[in-house]
Amino acid sequence: MTRLSTIVIAGAGQAGFQAAASLRQAGFRGELCLVGDEAGLPYQRPPLSKAYLSGKLSREGLLFRAKAFFSDNDIRVIDNTRVTKLDRLSKRVMLSSGEALHYDHLILALGARNRALAVEGRDLDGVFGLRTVADVDRLRVRLKSAGQIVVVGAGFIGGEFAAVASALGKSVLMLEAADRVMGRAVSADMSEFFHRAYAQWGVHLVLGHQLKRIVGQNGSVSGIVTEQGLSAPADVIVYGIGAMPNVELAVDAGLEAANGIRVNDQLVTSDPAISAIGDCSCWPAPYAGCDIRLESVQNAADQGRAVAARIMGSTKPYSAVPWFWSDQRDVKLQIAGFSPGSDRSIVLGDPEKNSFSVFCFRKGEIVAVESVNRTVDHMAARKLFERTDRELSPDDVCRPGFSLKDCIIAKV
Ligand SMILES: Cc1cc2nc3c(=O)[nH]c(=O)nc-3n(C[C@H](O)[C@H](O)[C@H](O)COP(=O)(O)OP(=O)(O)OC[C@H]3O[C@@H](n4cnc5c(N)ncnc54)[C@H](O)[C@@H]3O)c2cc1C
């Protein structure tokens, strides 16, 4: 693979940027082109619902690297331009500008898009998704005059937005169709903690309610109605009800895809000249025992590094340990491992003092550690999950004086 002369990366977000930077760092000397449909240089998404939303981080602060990095490293960045078609036979990608680019290897780093609201009123002025810097720039202007905000979906993005908006003194109603917050991603103990936190922050959380209709006046949002019969006023609605992988380009080109573009443990698609990484890819995770798709910085960045290493000759299968974080006011949640399917959780520390960890087990095996303001536990958990001999039982964790960090050190 090291003799490739042209690599095109479609999608200039976290994964695409990382792949380009890692390829150059590893000594790739061929042509490298990063094509993205957003305007400007590649930037980080996490601050969009946190420090950038609250105005604590500037637009420059979002960028992965300044302009000079790309010219110094001879990375051609084509922004504001969509890849519209893949021609696998001639190994070319067609761009919305009309240009066609030849590739020897193509990396698809197309990310995901917000799952759209499917209710009447979704196109009214004042309804916002939260994915791009352009979304947040518009939202920030609107927030200044907003009185009543409704958040649809109490996942990470909805929760982070509600945390910022309530801190700005806004009245926030958060609707969640399920019976607990962040239910798909965290343990019931962690959901309970955030439930209490939202109440303390003045966020009015309503569980078990599904949005039925958005009501408008003169083209702008004026309220919501839920399937369960709740009506509430609103002048801004922010929704975060999940994301869909951008697979259409790949599917149209005949690549295998389901919940993501399917890749093997080397991150290669069903076409050996094309890889897929980040939010758009679905890969065989050894710890999950099935193909999974993750939406996280860790996954995008690690897959970007891994694809670059493979192109430069490594044959190591991709098997990075997943980790994630969410910042909401003074709460730093950090998760290591993969908790879906866990059947037992043990809480250590004190949720009342905003400092605790939840140890999640499946059939007696540790599968995830969720920490609030306990970075020491989180870092120790990441070390634990890197090991193949993860001998940590519920009894170990319940032992008086147990410390995950000491336990890891003792086992080295
Ligand atoms: C508001 C927000 C907050 C988040 N907070 C956290 C967090 O706290 N912690 C965490 O771990 N993760 C967080 N995430 C998730 C994380 O940002 C993503 O998992 C990560 O950005 C995925 O990287 P990616 O490169 O796969 O996709 P992206 O970064 O989304 O990049 C994909 C790019 O490809 C572009 N694209 C799509 N189709 C085409 C095409 N046909 N042609 C050209 N370009 C195209 C897209 O517009 C996009 O710019 C957050 C995400 C959002 C939206």
Side-chain angles (χ1 to χ4, degrees):
M1 285 288 252
T2 45
R3 277 174 285 117
L4 292 177
S5 57
T6 303
I7 296 177
V8 172
I9 304 173
Q14 184 87 44
F17 163 77
Q18 187 63 58
S22 295
L23 276 164
R24 285 297 187 229
Q25 206 175 12
F28 175 69
R29 291 190 206 288
E31 278 181 45
L32 192 47
C33 186
L34 188 55
V35 188
D37 60 0
E38 294 184 67
L41 292 172
Y43 66 91
Q44 313 166 63
R45 274 179 220 294
L48 295 181
S49 48
K50 309 175 183 75
Y52 186 72
L53 177 68
S54 63
K56 290 182 186 145
L57 186 74
S58 69
R59 186 140 182 174
E60 267 65 50
L62 286 178
L63 299 180
F64 290 111
R65 290 283 190 281
K67 199 170 176 186
F69 173 85
F70 297 93
S71 44
D72 291 352
N73 283 282
D74 196 16
I75 299 170
R76 181 181 173 205
V77 179
I78 306 180
D79 73 335
N80 241 337
T81 304
R82 275 188 84 68
V83 174
T84 52
K85 195 168 177 236
L86 314 184
D87 182 343
R88 289 166 54 200
L89 267 183
S90 65
K91 288 195 167 177
R92 287 188 317 162
V93 293
M94 269 37 100
L95 308 187
S96 51
S97 59
E99 191 180 355
L101 297 176
H102 165 78
Y103 63 82
D104 293 302
H105 195 80
L106 172 66
I107 301 173
L108 299 176
L110 302 164
R113 60 182 178 275
N114 292 335
R115 189 181 294 277
L117 284 176
V119 297
E120 186 189 322
R122 65 185 172 208
D123 296 325
L124 287 165
D125 186 31
V127 180
F128 294 87
L130 211 166
R131 178 152 296 270
T132 65
V133 69
D135 291 337
V136 179
D137 286 344
R138 282 193 302 272
L139 176 57
R140 274 169 56 172
V141 172
R142 188 69 183 236
L143 267 185
K144 284 186 188 144
S145 59
Q148 307 272 355
I149 298 172
V150 170
V151 180
V152 183
F156 288 117
I157 290 178
E160 289 176 0
F161 173 78
V164 170
S166 59
L168 292 172
K170 306 291 175 186
S171 156
V172 182
L173 167 71
M174 183 153 63
L175 298 177
E176 169 57 49
D179 59 0
R180 63 184 177 97
V181 303
M182 296 185 264
R184 279 176 302 152
V186 300
S187 64
D189 295 293
M190 193 55 75
S191 291
E192 209 180 298
F193 169 79
F194 273 95
H195 191 138
R196 282 199 306 270
Y198 294 134
Q200 279 163 17
W201 299 338
V203 174
H204 182 194
L205 175 65
V206 180
L207 298 175
H209 276 245
Q210 228 165 343
L211 186 65
K212 180 178 185 186
R213 195 168 63 243
I214 299 174
V215 185
Q217 239 175 11
N218 304 325
S220 283
V221 165
S222 62
I224 57 101
V225 178
T226 71
E227 293 284 357
Q228 288 68 21
L230 174 78
S231 298
D235 41 26
V236 166
I237 292 176
V238 173
Y239 63 94
I241 54 169
M244 317 267 291
N246 292 323
V247 298
E248 291 74 8
L249 260 183
V251 171
D252 290 349
L255 297 176
E256 278 176 33
N259 173 32
I261 304 165
R262 186 159 280 146
V263 294
N264 64 14
D265 64 5
Q266 303 280 327
L267 307 176
V268 180
T269 67
S270 46
D271 179 337
I274 305 179
S275 303
I277 55 174
D279 283 12
C280 72
S281 86
C282 170
W283 60 285
Y287 51 80
C290 60
D291 284 2
I292 60 165
R293 190 178 70 79
L294 295 176
E295 291 168 15
S296 73
V297 164
Q298 168 277 321
N299 182 64
D302 281 346
Q303 292 198 340
R305 289 184 197 100
V307 85
R310 192 205 72 228
I311 287 170
M312 298 306 288
S314 166
T315 53
K316 202 172 153 219
Y318 177 74
S319 63
V321 174
W323 55 265
F324 186 84
W325 83 95
S326 174
D327 294 332
Q328 303 187 30
R329 293 217 190 180
D330 55 350
V331 174
K332 183 173 213 43
L333 167 67
Q334 293 169 295
I335 304 173
F338 186 70
S339 64
S342 63
D343 49 33
R344 180 169 179 194
S345 61
I346 299 168
V347 178
L348 286 195
D350 191 350
E352 296 292 323
K353 291 188 177 146
N354 281 6
S355 173
F356 67 104
S357 291
V358 183
F359 291 74
C360 305
F361 292 86
R362 184 168 51 225
K363 294 183 185 153
E365 193 190 332
I366 184 86
V367 289
V369 178
E370 303 165 343
S371 305
V372 162
N373 299 337
R374 301 246 292 203
T375 299
V376 172
D377 280 356
H378 174 69
M379 296 313 288
R382 278 164 58 177
K383 285 214 166 62
L384 174 75
F385 289 117
E386 275 161 17
R387 298 160 56 141
T388 42
D389 60 329
R390 271 174 228 156
E391 281 169 20
L392 187 75
S393 69
D395 287 348
D396 291 332
V397 174
C398 292
R399 209 156 281 144
F402 171 79
S403 145
L404 185 57
K405 185 180 168 207
D406 293 350
C407 171
I408 299 293
I409 292 170
K411 286 189 177 179
V412 171

